[in-house]
């Protein structure tokens, strides 16, 4: 004779009956096999790392990879596992804003000044990652990356020209101008 628990979880007509206190079943939205990505390098208190964000076709993040320069260290292993869990959360529909609100301003070592003027002091690597993600994807600054091809902006740090003058170039580089305007 089946137990009451097995009756609750049995499949009737292809649909499983759920306990009223259970969360709904999760649906994972995989990224396409070929996808664009953004890679960002950072340094916090002498710890160098790289964040790579894999993007859905609408340029929203669907996965992250965090590579720390000291391969094999405990910190590198923890960051790799944490990035996998955040990627799974994004693919299951957890809003990036919620993740950024939860993990921004977490405080633990290593912490220190960064080379990113928009972020300044990072209270931890988590703090840096999620404030950077917020800056790029919630505040809308990823358009700088994707619209850069429409402007004559060099990615190698060389001098460049704009047909509308140097003031337009400086505004574009600083992120103050995020509109798509024809040159």
């Amino acid at each position: 004779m089946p137990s009451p628990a097995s009756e609750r979880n049995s499949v009737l007509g292809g649909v499983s009956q759920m306990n009223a206190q259970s969360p709904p079943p999760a649906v994972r939205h995989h990224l396409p096999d070929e996808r664009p990505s953004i890679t960002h390098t950072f340094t916090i208190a002498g710890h160098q790392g790289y964040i790579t964000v894999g993007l859905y076709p609408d340029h929203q993040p669907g996965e992250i990879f965090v590579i720390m320069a000291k391969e094999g260290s405990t910190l590198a292993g923890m960051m790799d596992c944490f990035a996998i869990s955040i990627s799974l959360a994004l693919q299951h529909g957890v809003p990036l804003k919620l993740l950024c609100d939860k993990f921004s301003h977490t405080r633990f070592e290593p912490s220190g000044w960064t080379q990113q003027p928009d972020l300044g002091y990072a209270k931890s690597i988590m703090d840096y990652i999620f404030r950077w993600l917020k800056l790029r994807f919630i505040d809308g600054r990823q358009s700088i990356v994707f619209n850069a091809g429409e402007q004559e902006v060099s990615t190698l740090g060389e001098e460049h020209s704009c047909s509308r003058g140097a003031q337009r170039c400086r505004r574009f580089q600083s992120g103050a101008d995020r509109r798509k305007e024809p040159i």
Side-chain angles (χ1 to χ4, degrees), residues 110-130:
S111 63
W113 290 102
T114 69
Q115 296 174 344
Q116 182 72 284
D118 291 335
L119 298 175
Y121 190 86
K123 298 172 188 170
S124 65
I125 294 173
M126 289 320 162
D127 174 47
Y128 183 90
I129 290 169
F130 285 98

Side-chain angles (χ1 to χ4, degrees), residues 71-129:
E71 199 57 44
S73 70
T74 302
L75 181 61
M78 291 298 293
M79 293 308 301
D80 189 37
C81 291
F82 183 75
I84 291 169
S85 65
I86 295 301
S87 298
L88 287 170
L90 290 170
Q91 292 173 17
H92 281 88
V94 176
L96 180 61
K97 183 173 181 350
L98 176 68
L99 295 170
C100 290
D101 290 346
K102 286 291 184 186
F103 292 107
S104 292
H105 306 291
T106 53
R107 183 182 300 268
F108 54 88
E109 295 298 324
S111 63
W113 290 102
T114 69
Q115 296 174 344
Q116 182 72 284
D118 291 335
L119 298 175
Y121 190 86
K123 298 172 188 170
S124 65
I125 294 173
M126 289 320 162
D127 174 47
Y128 183 90
I129 290 169

Side-chain angles (χ1 to χ4, degrees), residues 14-89:
V15 178
S16 81
Q17 295 177 347
M18 293 180 2
N19 184 343
Q21 296 175 353
S22 298
V27 177
R28 185 175 179 186
H29 300 278
H30 292 274
L31 281 91
D33 290 340
E34 291 188 13
R35 53 194 168 263
S37 65
I38 297 172
T39 300
H40 172 76
T41 184
F42 64 92
T43 303
I44 301 171
H47 293 269
Q48 185 176 11
Y50 303 89
I51 306 167
T52 300
V53 182
L55 304 170
Y56 284 108
D58 66 351
H59 300 297
Q60 290 302 307
E63 66 184 357
I64 67 168
F65 300 96
V66 180
I67 311 294
M68 298 304 294
K70 286 187 176 180
E71 199 57 44
S73 70
T74 302
L75 181 61
M78 291 298 293
M79 293 308 301
D80 189 37
C81 291
F82 183 75
I84 291 169
S85 65
I86 295 301
S87 298
L88 287 170

